[in-house]
Amino acid sequence: MDDTEAPSLGLGPAPGSSAAASSGDYKVLARKYRPSDFTGLIGQEALVRTLSNAFATGRIAHAFMLTGVRGVGKTTTARIIARALNCIGPDGKRTEPTIHPCGECEPCRAIAESRHVDVQEMDAASRTGIDDVREIIEGVRYAPASARYKVYIIDEVHMLSKQAFNGLLKTLEEPPPHVKFVFATTEIRKVPVTVLSRCQRFDLRRVETAELVKHLANIAGQEGVRIEEPALALVARAAEGSVRDSLSLLDQAIAHGTEEVITADIIRGMLGLADRGRVLDLFEKVMGGEIAVALTGLGELYDRGADPLAVMQDLLEITHFLTRIKVAPGAEGFFDGASSEAKRSADMAAKLSVPSLTRAWTMLLKGLFEVRDAARPMQALEMALIRLAYAADLPPADKLVRDLMDGNAPAAPRTPAPGGAPAGNGPRMAMTNERPVAMAAPAPVAQAGEGPVFRSLEEIAAFANERGARLLKVNLENDVHLVRLEPGLIEFRPSERAPRTLAADLTQKLKDWTGQRWTVTVVRDGGAPTIAEQKKAAKQARHEAVLQQPLVRAVMDRFPGAEIIAVRDVVPEAAEIEAPMPESEED
């Protein structure tokens, strides 16, 4: 594993580093402030507490599995565990592992510099095979050369091949007492359960923004850098809980800032972020339908260096924040609770309904992927905002239906696309169509003697399905153009994709089912549409019939570009149906 990787959570310079190093010896902050013991870890209290108790009672596991997103301290924690297991103290007299490695003894320094012969680090991303694991299996048999324990640190362990995992299992289950394993991974689901069950697992969590801001402020103070707290908050949010990413961004901010104090505007320019107050203005204009003003404001943000994808992400965060305020007053998130933007957000949330906010979330989320994948992200962002502005004032579906039933909906003429289809990509609707209960049902298979009598191809297909011949049923529905059907005789034209044995299979099945000999003849021309084609045509006819109903036409006029995706039959309730009374003899 490369020593340049630094999941760094330290509160002070790592051993051997100097805060006053010359430019030639410069270390990035992520390496310079890598912690040397568990007291330097931030945001991982559960891990530290569990390991402290284990070391104090002597119940130290033989294998550890560290998992979490990038930059939260997996590799750093693995090295701290290795030092804790092998520290001998400044005087060299310590005989037991300690949760507080001194960082001064030779084992501590050698492990920190990745040069200890008994602490082996392996990057599974580049060494994935069984041969690499075989080296470990052979090595565990030998006692440590100078340390208390041999420690094998395998980073990105999920990258090992299946054969490598299998080869490691036996050794991992019963390692020699002088061997410890520490695994790290960002893809815990890709690690076999058989391996996980043999390890003590620790899930390293993302560091909270407030805690990360405090950590960054401490490091900035040690570096003699003046940076505003709002600027640190922007860095922490951009890092998404990763300490290493936050330190890398802080490094970049220090190099980027030329003024005495690094401000939030400098960080926004560096990251391509927009002012959150301006984004809130943008959201307010879009939801108010003032799209021309909103596009002008968006253009100004873009000219000032705002990244379209970052603007879309901010809009999504604002939508989420307003929704949380709506359903849980006092919720915190996108804006500081005491800021003027937070008060504006509360007022704005009071004016918006939850359905409109959830609809905005859905549309913005779709727009996020469009902006991310578009060749011209700014144009994709503008189109997403235009869609949202025109949909913002649409009424809820239940109110729309009530208005249509009451005759209050405007009846603007609808412009159909060529061929009679609705224009554009509008809403997709499933319509209901009432029918009487006494609607004719498919005729059952009649019985004559001991075998059934088939009167249609549909009956044969249904019977085949009942008897478990489902493949034959599918072929009958999709590949048979029926020419003639009589008792004991079937004549049909097969489709191009019909199996060659269809006629023979059907002949045998009919004989088995009816107990009679059947003649099945294949012809080259003619024949009715297949059952599947007839169903499709019937469905299209129903759609066309539904389109002519006044209520449906009103809906389509209200939503140009709408599309009917299904027509369902709704049987009236029994209480609403009056069965016809039989005529009496007196009448």
Side-chain angles (χ1 to χ4, degrees):
M1 182 174 53
D2 193 334
D3 188 50
T4 59
E5 180 185 0
S8 68
L9 300 167
L11 295 175
S17 66
S18 172
S22 64
S23 59
D25 297 327
Y26 173 73
K27 282 187 177 182
V28 296
L29 297 180
R31 293 185 59 194
K32 185 175 180 180
Y33 291 94
R34 175 187 294 154
S36 58
D37 57 30
F38 291 108
T39 60
L41 291 174
I42 64 170
Q44 313 299 341
E45 290 79 9
L47 177 146
V48 174
R49 182 171 58 255
T50 303
L51 287 178
S52 297
N53 293 336
F55 275 69
T57 59
R59 303 175 65 88
I60 304 174
H62 63 267
F64 302 90
M65 180 68 68
L66 308 176
T67 178
V69 298
R70 75 206 182 282
V72 292
K74 299 183 296 297
T75 308
T76 294
T77 301
R79 291 172 179 171
I80 294 175
I81 291 175
R83 286 198 290 271
L85 290 169
N86 290 307
C87 177
I88 60 176
D91 55 2
K93 296 182 179 180
R94 180 174 290 146
T95 59
E96 297 293 334
T98 175
I99 197 64
H100 301 294
C102 66
E104 299 178 10
C105 64
E106 176 56 25
C108 283
R109 288 184 172 274
I111 294 171
E113 297 169 6
S114 298
R115 57 178 175 82
H116 200 293
V117 66
D118 292 321
V119 178
Q120 300 293 321
E121 298 186 19
M122 186 182 88
D123 182 10
S126 58
R127 302 181 64 185
T128 63
I130 181 63
D131 291 337
D132 301 308
V133 170
R134 191 173 288 118
E135 294 180 13
I136 297 176
I137 298 173
E138 293 294 328
V140 299
R141 296 186 300 173
Y142 303 102
S146 61
R148 187 179 296 118
Y149 290 99
K150 265 192 172 182
V151 182
Y152 291 92
I153 300 174
I154 303 180
D155 201 9
E156 299 300 339
V157 69
H158 66 275
M159 300 290 285
L160 289 178
S161 65
K162 181 179 180 181
Q163 293 78 7
F165 273 125
N166 290 336
L168 191 61
L169 279 179
K170 186 61 177 178
T171 302
L172 187 61
E173 184 172 17
E174 299 177 358
H178 59 266
V179 174
K180 302 291 183 183
F181 291 94
V182 185
F183 304 120
T185 178
T186 54
E187 300 284 349
I188 190 65
R189 293 184 179 180
K190 294 183 180 179
V191 179
V193 177
T194 50
V195 173
L196 288 176
S197 65
R198 291 164 169 83
C199 303
Q200 189 173 81
R201 173 175 168 177
F202 293 97
D203 291 82
L204 279 71
R205 65 181 183 87
R206 297 177 187 269
V207 181
E208 297 292 336
T209 299
E211 193 169 8
L212 200 49
V213 168
K214 182 179 178 181
H215 179 63
L216 294 176
N218 187 6
I219 291 178
Q222 294 187 53
E223 290 291 310
V225 175
R226 297 177 60 192
I227 180 169
E228 294 179 348
E229 186 171 338
L232 290 175
L234 288 175
V235 171
R237 280 196 293 265
E240 297 180 340
S242 168
V243 184
R244 183 177 63 224
D245 287 1
S246 69
L247 291 175
S248 297
L249 290 172
L250 181 60
D251 241 335
Q252 183 180 350
I254 294 173
H256 190 84
T258 57
E259 292 79 1
E260 292 184 359
V261 180
I262 300 175
T263 64
D265 287 338
I266 292 176
I267 301 299
R268 288 193 189 95
M270 181 186 79
L271 300 177
L273 301 177
D275 181 273
R276 294 199 162 194
R278 299 284 298 276
V279 179
L280 184 62
D281 293 338
L282 178 63
F283 184 80
E284 185 176 22
K285 299 301 180 185
V286 170
M287 296 302 289
E290 301 178 53
I291 188 59
V293 179
L295 293 180
T296 300
L298 176 62
E300 293 175 356
L301 290 174
Y302 184 71
D303 292 339
R304 295 183 60 183
D307 179 46
L309 186 60
V311 173
M312 180 60 82
Q313 291 171 333
D314 280 351
L315 288 170
L316 276 166
E317 288 195 47
I318 286 176
T319 306
H320 175 258
F321 181 61
L322 293 179
T323 307
R324 288 196 63 193
I325 292 177
K326 188 77 176 178
V327 300
E332 297 182 358
F334 194 71
F335 295 110
D336 180 15
S339 66
S340 59
E341 288 85 0
K343 297 177 182 177
R344 280 184 59 199
S345 299
D347 294 337
M348 192 183 303
K351 299 175 184 178
L352 296 171
S353 65
V354 172
S356 65
L357 287 169
T358 55
R359 181 168 53 210
W361 171 268
T362 302
M363 299 181 72
L364 289 172
L365 189 61
K366 179 177 182 293
L368 178 69
F369 296 108
E370 294 175 351
V371 173
R372 184 194 64 184
D373 299 333
R376 297 186 176 181
M378 185 60 176
Q379 294 181 357
L381 175 56
E382 288 180 345
M383 293 303 297
L385 296 185
I386 291 172
R387 285 202 307 267
L388 178 58
Y390 276 89
D393 61 347
L394 288 178
D398 57 345
K399 183 177 184 303
L400 175 64
V401 172
R402 287 196 300 269
D403 290 345
L404 291 171
M405 295 295 291
D406 295 339
N408 297 328
R414 179 170 56 90
T415 305
N425 294 322
R428 294 161 61 83
M429 298 178 289
M431 309 303 297
T432 58
N433 185 32
E434 291 192 358
R435 64 168 181 169
V437 175
M439 184 175 180
V445 176
Q447 298 290 333
E450 297 181 357
V453 175
F454 299 114
R455 295 174 296 182
S456 67
L457 187 62
E458 289 84 350
E459 291 182 5
I460 299 177
F463 196 84
N465 187 55
E466 292 177 3
R467 292 302 178 94
R470 292 181 174 81
L471 180 58
L472 178 60
K473 178 250 187 187
V474 171
N475 290 330
L476 289 173
E477 290 183 343
N478 294 277
D479 302 317
V480 172
H481 297 269
L482 187 63
V483 176
R484 184 168 52 153
L485 173 60
E486 298 176 0
L489 172 65
I490 291 181
E491 187 175 320
F492 72 94
R493 173 175 61 85
S495 69
E496 295 181 355
R497 62 176 180 273
R500 295 183 179 181
T501 60
L502 178 56
D505 294 342
L506 181 57
T507 300
Q508 185 61 47
K509 289 294 184 182
L510 289 172
K511 181 180 178 182
D512 294 342
W513 293 337
T514 64
Q516 301 175 2
R517 185 181 298 277
W518 281 72
T519 301
V520 179
T521 305
V522 175
V523 298
R524 294 185 177 181
D525 301 312
T530 64
I531 296 175
E533 291 171 346
Q534 294 177 34
K535 290 181 179 179
K536 183 176 180 181
K539 179 180 178 181
Q540 182 62 32
R542 295 186 70 192
H543 277 221
E544 294 297 332
V546 168
L547 279 172
Q548 304 307 316
Q549 296 183 7
L551 176 60
V552 178
R553 292 182 64 182
V555 173
M556 303 297 281
D557 290 338
R558 183 68 181 268
F559 294 97
E563 176 186 353
I564 296 177
I565 61 171
V567 179
R568 304 188 182 98
D569 289 324
V570 177
V571 180
E573 295 182 5
E576 299 178 359
I577 302 174
E578 295 183 2
M581 297 295 292
E583 297 182 0
S584 63
E585 294 182 358
E586 296 180 357
D587 294 337

